[in-house]
Amino acid sequence: MNFHKRPYYSLRDIGILSLIGLVTIIVGSVLIGTNIALSRVMHGGGEFFVGLEGARAILLEHTDPYSGTVARLTQELVYGRTANIGENPYFLTIPFFLLPVYFPFTLISESASARALWMFLSEASMVGAVFLALRSIEWQPRRLFIIFLCLISIFNYYSVAALLEGTPVILLGFLYFGFLFTYSTGRDELAGALLVLTLFYWQVGTLFLILVTWKIISDKRWHVFYGFGMTFVILLILSLLIFPGWIYSFFIAIFATTRSQFGITPAAIYARLSPAHGNQITQAVTILIIVMLIYEWAAARKADFRRFIWAACLTLAATPLIGFRTEISNLAVLFPCLALIFAATTDRWRMGAWLASLLLTIVLLVPWAFYVHWSTFNDEYFYNYLFLFYPAFAIVGLYWTRWWFIRPPRTWLDHVRSTN
């Protein structure tokens, strides 16, 4: 019988681990403190507050979390008592079996502190999504580059907008790439369980869910459906025991939200940019995207898994342009897709790291420039450019690096040749 000795840690190893732990605690404390200060000063946070108030309604007051009372209370937290008809109505549109995500935050009495903790969770989720995206394609960047990448993942305009609004879309991005990573490593039941948790926002992930369902069926990975089914049934039964009538109230809230004019659609943008040809542009773009996705889905169905990840990122990038009503903060889910573009750019040329850094700088500065011009001069055209920039940049970048994802992984000999 062979006995394996426990690994021995030297004083140096213990010191390094202690230092890492101390730095993590300090950075986390600074971020939470900064988030608390921002939460008390900056308006917004409605997407978080509607989930928080819905959780408080069912746990503390035992009332319907989908009621108009929760929506009005959320509006008062965001806008005060002067909310206009055109502003976000903030109806709760999260399925009740996923609402327990907000339950721990009800233990915090101060809404600003609860919002700050949610912001910290979102920041960690964004960094985690970037790491999962890079791990899924088995690419390991240099430490300086990964630090630069993580900083821009948080401080680009779309992430900041999502953090201040408190939208769960950043957490959703972490779950998307968590699913891709667990699926690629053969953890099918866990992948199925994660897939249940992605049912937050249909306008963000519908096409992604269709693609992965097609992939699962094509690969005959039925254990993913087992994990999905078991998790879904357990959560559904528990939700019906807690609030039996939530399904009816949930669909009423969905209907009320769809009737609201809050948000933005590609059709409205094209109509403002080209009043004479807006409808034709909308139809042409929609048809082009559908044809593009069908072709790429079919090509990725039996291809290398890197090709499938590329198709999944293309799907997320194309979704905002296909016609769903959405919000600009929802575009934050695209940054991990951009991380793949930067990875391919870095690996393509000897000076690829500098080119990737330049692209990162463009992604950081251009949207902020659009935002400053729009907010300063109230120029609606720049708001349209702000919405179109991210998905357009992602689609163009993904096609620019497409060959890197569809070719076989580099061999050791290829790596040696590229360094000579």
Side-chain angles (χ1 to χ4, degrees):
M1 181 179 296
N2 294 325
F3 294 94
H4 298 280
K5 295 182 179 180
R6 297 180 62 181
Y8 173 74
Y9 294 100
S10 64
L11 291 177
R12 182 175 179 273
D13 295 333
I14 295 174
I16 293 175
L17 292 174
S18 300
L19 180 62
I20 292 174
L22 180 61
V23 170
T24 302
I25 293 173
I26 293 174
V27 171
S29 301
V30 170
L31 281 176
I32 293 176
T34 304
N35 291 339
I36 291 175
L38 288 174
S39 299
R40 292 173 177 171
V41 174
M42 302 293 293
H43 295 290
E47 291 295 335
F48 167 70
F49 286 139
V50 69
L52 177 65
E53 294 304 323
R56 285 174 174 171
I58 193 65
L59 290 180
L60 305 180
E61 302 174 10
H62 306 291
T63 58
D64 187 353
Y66 299 100
S67 66
T69 303
V70 171
R72 285 192 297 272
L73 183 57
T74 303
Q75 280 195 321
E76 290 179 5
L77 286 171
V78 178
Y79 305 119
R81 297 181 179 273
T82 59
N84 298 319
I85 296 177
E87 292 174 324
N88 195 332
Y90 287 117
F91 289 106
L92 182 64
T93 56
I94 298 172
F96 187 77
F97 58 83
L98 294 178
L99 193 61
V101 172
Y102 293 91
F103 286 179
F105 296 92
T106 62
L107 300 175
I108 305 175
S109 58
E110 186 187 19
S111 296
S113 297
R115 179 189 176 194
L117 186 58
W118 178 264
M119 290 171 64
F120 176 74
L121 177 63
S122 299
E123 290 160 352
S125 297
M126 175 59 77
V127 174
V130 171
F131 273 100
L132 287 173
L134 298 180
R135 283 291 304 275
S136 298
I137 60 172
E138 299 180 349
W139 187 72
Q140 296 180 347
R142 296 180 179 178
R143 292 179 182 178
L144 184 61
F145 184 79
I146 196 65
I147 292 173
F148 190 33
L149 187 65
C150 290
L151 288 175
I152 293 182
S153 72
I154 296 175
F155 292 106
N156 70 83
Y157 169 79
Y158 305 95
S159 294
V160 171
L163 289 169
L164 293 178
E165 183 59 21
T167 173
V169 72
I170 295 179
L171 180 60
L172 198 62
F174 176 76
L175 293 171
Y176 288 156
F177 286 91
F179 166 82
L180 292 174
F181 178 72
T182 53
Y183 189 87
S184 66
T185 54
R187 302 166 186 172
D188 289 359
E189 288 82 1
L190 177 58
L194 289 176
L195 209 56
V196 175
L197 303 180
T198 65
L199 302 177
F200 267 110
Y201 281 8
W202 63 269
Q203 65 269 37
V204 175
T206 298
L207 296 180
F208 177 86
L209 293 176
I210 294 173
L211 170 62
V212 299
T213 302
W214 188 18
K215 176 68 173 176
I216 294 167
I217 294 174
S218 176
D219 292 345
K220 299 180 180 179
R221 303 268 291 270
W222 309 120
H223 285 276
V224 178
F225 289 133
Y226 299 157
F228 178 91
M230 288 187 294
T231 305
F232 179 78
V233 169
I234 291 172
L235 292 177
L236 182 62
I237 292 174
L238 291 176
S239 67
L240 291 174
L241 291 175
I242 297 172
F243 181 27
W246 75 264
I247 295 178
Y248 174 77
S249 298
F250 169 71
F251 281 107
I252 291 296
I254 290 289
F255 179 71
T257 302
T258 56
R259 294 184 61 186
S260 169
Q261 295 303 309
F262 182 81
I264 190 170
T265 62
I269 290 178
Y270 303 144
R272 286 195 292 265
L273 293 176
S274 178
H277 306 286
N279 290 335
Q280 292 87 337
I281 294 175
T282 302
Q283 295 172 2
V285 170
T286 302
I287 293 173
L288 178 63
I289 289 176
I290 292 174
V291 172
M292 174 186 71
L293 290 181
I294 290 175
Y295 173 78
E296 297 297 349
W297 288 6
R301 188 168 59 97
K302 292 294 185 181
D304 182 79
F305 194 76
R306 295 203 319 174
R307 175 72 176 274
F308 173 70
I309 293 175
W310 180 90
C313 290
L314 181 69
T315 302
L316 289 173
T319 298
L321 302 179
I322 205 167
F324 297 136
R325 181 174 293 277
T326 186
E327 299 176 37
I328 203 164
S329 58
N330 290 341
L331 299 179
V333 76
L334 299 184
F335 189 85
C337 304
L338 301 186
L340 302 189
I341 299 173
F342 304 141
T345 304
T346 303
D347 199 53
R348 184 172 183 175
W349 295 292
R350 294 180 181 178
M351 301 296 291
W354 293 101
L355 179 57
S357 299
L358 175 62
L359 293 177
L360 272 169
T361 305
I362 291 173
V363 167
L364 176 66
L365 297 182
V366 171
W368 278 115
F370 286 157
Y371 170 75
V372 170
H373 192 282
W374 165 57
S375 59
T376 303
F377 301 101
N378 197 25
D379 190 338
E380 204 169 56
Y381 281 101
F382 279 82
Y383 181 78
N384 300 331
Y385 302 149
L386 184 62
F387 178 84
L388 294 175
F389 174 80
Y390 225 31
F393 184 94
I395 292 173
V396 172
L398 285 169
Y399 268 102
W400 181 50
T401 58
R402 182 174 180 267
W403 69 274
W404 190 81
F405 291 93
I406 65 176
R407 66 173 185 156
R410 299 180 68 183
T411 64
W412 176 81
L413 182 60
D414 292 333
H415 179 74
V416 171
R417 289 173 177 173
S418 66
T419 57
N420 292 331

